[in-house]
Amino acid sequence: MAVGKLVVFAALLLCLAGTAVACIPPPKWAIMPDSDDAPPPVVFPAAPAPRPVVDWRARGAVTAPKNQGWLDSCWAMAAVGAIEGLHTITTGKLVSLSSQEVFDCADPNLIHSRPKAFDWVVRNGGVASEADYPYMGREQECKRQMLNKIAASIKGYMANVNSEADLLMAVARQPVAIKMRLDPATFSAYRGGLFTGPCGDDLHAMLLVGHGSTSDGKRYWIIKNSYGVHWGDKGYLYVQRGPDSGVGLCGLAYNGAYPTN
């Protein structure tokens, strides 16, 4: 079976399995940091020490945290972030890619998901840079005249991560697009430290960029969110890791996906 058909078949299977990502909207103060309604910081205990085992930021393969704004584009941003990472690893060049193009142009008949994003990039032959197709934070028509302005491409994707052990092996090679089931109120209030829950029913996609441990041995995942740099720990979330045999806190290791070349 051709690669394109395999990608479409896998995406359809994931859609049928009900893996749509609606995205948890960022708090108002993360979008407009000068607003006067920011709550007191909520810092979880045991803030991670800078002792990562794997950190793709340090290897120059991760762009700065972007801000999805009011648009449900976390799935596109997570997938595009994974493509940025693979492109950097492959070419040595970090390029900020267009999540707006993926959101605008991906198949509207498929539910919002990371496989939907990867599928479109494969079919289109690549994705534009953010400089050529900037993020607007709103729904708009696909700018078809930009489809041939390719800044990075992939040949396919894998969605075979189903445990923390799988995730460890995958992120050792490249950043991985993940999703978590979260409680919006607690998640939005995160301002740093080791996130230990609670979990919830709302799915939100993000980019896993590494893992490490605290000075007292607590293991954690390093996750890039799409709420900008004023949310969390400069735009990042540090999530409790373990046990490696399970799907991870809030299901973060279930159905992880990453692009291939």
Side-chain angles (χ1 to χ4, degrees):
M1 187 180 291
V3 171
K5 291 182 178 179
L6 280 172
V7 170
V8 174
F9 180 65
L12 289 173
L13 282 179
L14 289 172
C15 289
L16 291 172
T19 56
V21 177
C23 301
I24 297 174
K28 180 181 177 182
W29 53 265
I31 299 175
M32 296 180 287
D34 294 330
S35 65
D36 58 5
D37 63 347
V42 175
V43 179
F44 287 75
R51 292 174 44 194
V53 177
V54 172
D55 189 346
W56 287 105
R57 297 172 300 179
R59 303 184 194 185
V62 183
T63 57
K66 302 173 184 180
N67 198 326
Q68 69 184 65
W70 307 122
L71 190 64
D72 276 355
S73 59
C74 65
W75 56 276
M77 287 195 168
V80 163
I83 297 171
E84 290 171 345
L86 180 61
H87 180 74
T88 304
I89 294 165
T90 303
T91 68
K93 299 178 181 179
L94 178 63
V95 179
S96 183
L97 301 175
S98 179
S99 51
Q100 185 74 53
E101 182 179 39
V102 173
F103 187 94
D104 292 346
C105 304
D107 189 342
N109 296 313
L110 295 177
I111 59 175
H112 289 346
S113 66
R114 296 147 302 139
K116 170 181 175 174
F118 292 139
D119 173 69
W120 180 82
V121 174
V122 171
R123 285 172 167 271
N124 189 60
V127 59
S129 70
E130 190 164 37
D132 285 334
Y133 199 130
Y135 190 74
M136 305 304 292
R138 63 174 184 266
E139 292 189 24
Q140 59 185 23
E141 292 295 320
C142 175
K143 297 180 180 179
R144 304 195 66 81
Q145 71 274 19
M146 302 298 294
L147 296 182
N148 291 325
K149 293 186 74 67
I150 304 299
S153 62
I154 60 174
K155 293 181 180 178
Y157 72 89
M158 300 294 292
N160 60 351
V161 174
N162 288 302
S163 71
E164 286 192 300
D166 292 341
L167 199 54
L168 275 172
M169 290 189 289
V171 78
R173 297 188 297 267
Q174 64 194 95
V176 180
I178 64 163
K179 65 180 186 298
M180 295 179 70
R181 290 190 176 274
L182 296 160
D183 170 65
T186 306
F187 180 65
S188 295
Y190 173 81
R191 301 294 286 275
L194 190 64
F195 182 81
T196 56
C199 303
D201 297 322
D202 290 51
L203 281 173
H204 186 68
M206 295 177 283
L207 184 69
L208 183 78
V209 300
H211 63 91
S213 62
T214 63
S215 56
D216 59 355
K218 292 184 175 69
R219 300 180 301 170
Y220 61 84
W221 298 107
I222 308 169
I223 298 175
K224 176 185 171 182
N225 195 15
S226 52
Y227 289 178
V229 298
H230 298 288
W231 176 90
D233 189 335
K234 299 179 181 178
Y236 287 86
L237 173 71
Y238 295 87
V239 176
Q240 173 183 292
R241 181 188 136 208
D244 293 343
S245 59
V247 296
L249 185 68
C250 305
L252 69 84
Y254 181 69
N255 239 176
Y258 53 91
T260 60
N261 262 336

